[in-house]
Amino acid sequence: MQNRLLPSTTLRRGQEGKTAALTGTPLSPRRRGSRREQARLKASVVEEDTEEWQKDARFAGLERVGGVDLSYIKGDDSRACASLVVLSFPALEVLYQDCRMVAVSAPYVAGFLAFREVPFLVEAVQRLQQEEPQLQPQVLLVDGNGLLHPRGFGTACHLGVLTDLPCIGVAKNLLQVDGLVRDELHREQVCSLQRSGETFPLTGTSGKVLGMVLRSCNNSSKPLYVSVGHRVSLDTAVRLVRACCRFRIPEPIRQADIRSREYLRKQPCAPLEGLEALPASPESSKKEAELED
């Protein structure tokens, strides 16, 4: 699943309609429909803990943690592998995996990425519920954002509402929304995180805390950007992400990414030269290096 750092020209929440009115360019029917549906789903987001295991300092009662990812063939944004893995907790051993090739036909529209990718992830969760219901995850970690989003409703929120599962957004890059910028001050704050588990809040100009910056392990100074998706508090989200990290990237997401890329490599229709190497390969790509950091 791609983390996109929005350019400065990207419209912020509520500005699309104003800009359309000023330029005389009406919003497309697809965009209007997506906005209405997104607003409808957003109303169902729960930003607090709903499960007993979330209230325990050691997450007693939590046994299964899921991770999802969409990996694209390099140079082809119409074909991807949708991956769902379920790991035991706290051992973080893989209990279940589902990797499927999918045809991605919906166009990418800034602020509406979930409409392009989430349907495939929902299908993966539904297959698990039908085939191995005893392995259903009690929480999903998503390679993307939740409330830390231009419209306050990222992929982790979208997936959480549609599956009614607790979801956490875990991004590798800062999404510049609500006045948040990756400036010198932000870089200094990141540098101040010296040990695993240290954090600082992402407070927008609106005054709302949209997420937390987390140093997830001692071996990497690159932080993670954690945000609420659905049915979890921000504090619980940060604690759980840290508990799932052997490397920089939490293990559920890391395993979903590794396995989806391995699946792509084995597809006869997928040109191997267009794929990024797996972490075990000597030609590790930047993204794969991040998985091991």
Side-chain angles (χ1 to χ4, degrees):
M1 205 173 296
Q2 301 170 344
N3 289 313
R4 299 176 183 269
L5 182 63
L6 295 183
S8 59
T9 55
T10 298
L11 299 177
R12 292 185 178 176
R13 186 186 315 173
Q15 289 183 323
E16 296 103 323
K18 295 178 183 178
T19 301
L22 290 172
T23 62
T25 304
L27 294 175
S28 68
R30 179 191 291 271
R31 178 74 69 88
R32 288 197 298 270
S34 295
R35 288 184 64 182
R36 287 194 296 268
E37 179 66 5
Q38 190 181 68
R40 184 184 70 82
L41 295 173
K42 182 180 177 181
S44 298
V45 171
V46 176
E47 302 179 36
E48 59 188 29
D49 295 331
T50 61
E51 309 302 304
E52 286 301 316
W53 60 262
Q54 296 169 329
K55 303 171 186 177
D56 186 88
R58 297 187 177 182
F59 299 117
L62 177 61
E63 299 178 348
R64 298 173 305 281
V65 180
V68 294
D69 185 69
L70 221 68
S71 291
Y72 291 86
I73 295 174
K74 190 174 182 179
D76 184 354
D77 63 0
S78 66
R79 287 191 296 161
C81 176
S83 175
L84 164 66
V85 298
V86 180
L87 277 61
S88 62
F89 187 87
L92 299 178
E93 298 176 347
V94 176
L95 303 174
Y96 173 92
Q97 73 173 53
D98 180 349
C99 296
R100 301 284 179 98
M101 290 299 297
V102 296
V104 185
S105 58
Y108 169 71
V109 178
F112 299 93
L113 175 64
F115 287 94
R116 175 176 167 87
E117 299 187 343
V118 164
F120 306 113
L121 304 177
V122 171
E123 290 174 2
V125 172
Q126 291 174 338
R127 283 194 297 270
L128 169 59
Q129 292 171 334
Q130 294 171 2
E131 299 170 5
E132 301 281 353
Q134 74 280 8
L135 294 179
Q136 174 169 296
Q138 294 162 275
V139 59
L140 288 171
L141 272 59
V142 180
D143 182 10
N145 291 286
L147 297 179
L148 180 58
H149 180 267
R151 300 180 62 79
F153 191 76
T155 300
C157 297
H158 203 126
L159 181 62
V161 170
L162 291 183
T163 60
D164 198 30
L165 291 172
C167 278
I168 299 170
V170 185
K172 296 182 284 292
N173 299 296
L174 175 64
L175 198 60
Q176 299 185 128
V177 299
D178 195 14
L180 297 173
V181 292
R182 196 165 52 189
D183 56 9
E184 187 59 34
L185 174 59
H186 180 77
R187 286 188 285 270
E188 290 176 0
Q189 289 177 306
V190 169
C191 289
S192 73
L193 304 177
Q194 296 296 309
R195 294 187 299 275
S196 172
E198 292 187 347
T199 64
F200 66 85
L202 289 167
T203 305
T205 54
S206 65
K208 183 173 182 177
V209 176
L210 301 176
M212 294 288 283
V213 182
L214 166 70
R215 178 160 180 166
S216 57
C217 70
N218 288 322
N219 294 332
S220 176
S221 60
K222 298 177 182 178
L224 297 175
Y225 298 87
V226 181
S227 57
V228 168
H230 183 52
R231 292 179 56 186
V232 64
S233 67
L234 183 57
D235 176 69
T236 297
V238 172
R239 289 193 300 115
L240 182 58
V241 168
R242 184 189 178 197
C244 288
C245 287
R246 290 174 173 167
F247 303 96
R248 177 195 175 206
I249 307 301
E251 202 64 12
I253 292 175
R254 180 173 174 271
Q255 288 298 327
D257 183 273
I258 289 173
R259 290 161 193 269
S260 64
R261 291 176 183 280
E262 176 65 24
Y263 189 87
L264 283 176
R265 287 173 63 87
K266 293 179 179 179
Q267 296 305 300
C269 61
L272 296 180
E273 66 272 14
L275 296 179
E276 299 176 53
L278 287 172
S281 168
E283 303 100 47
S284 295
S285 67
K286 180 179 178 182
K287 179 173 181 180
E288 291 148 358
E290 289 174 338
L291 294 176
E292 296 291 350
D293 280 347

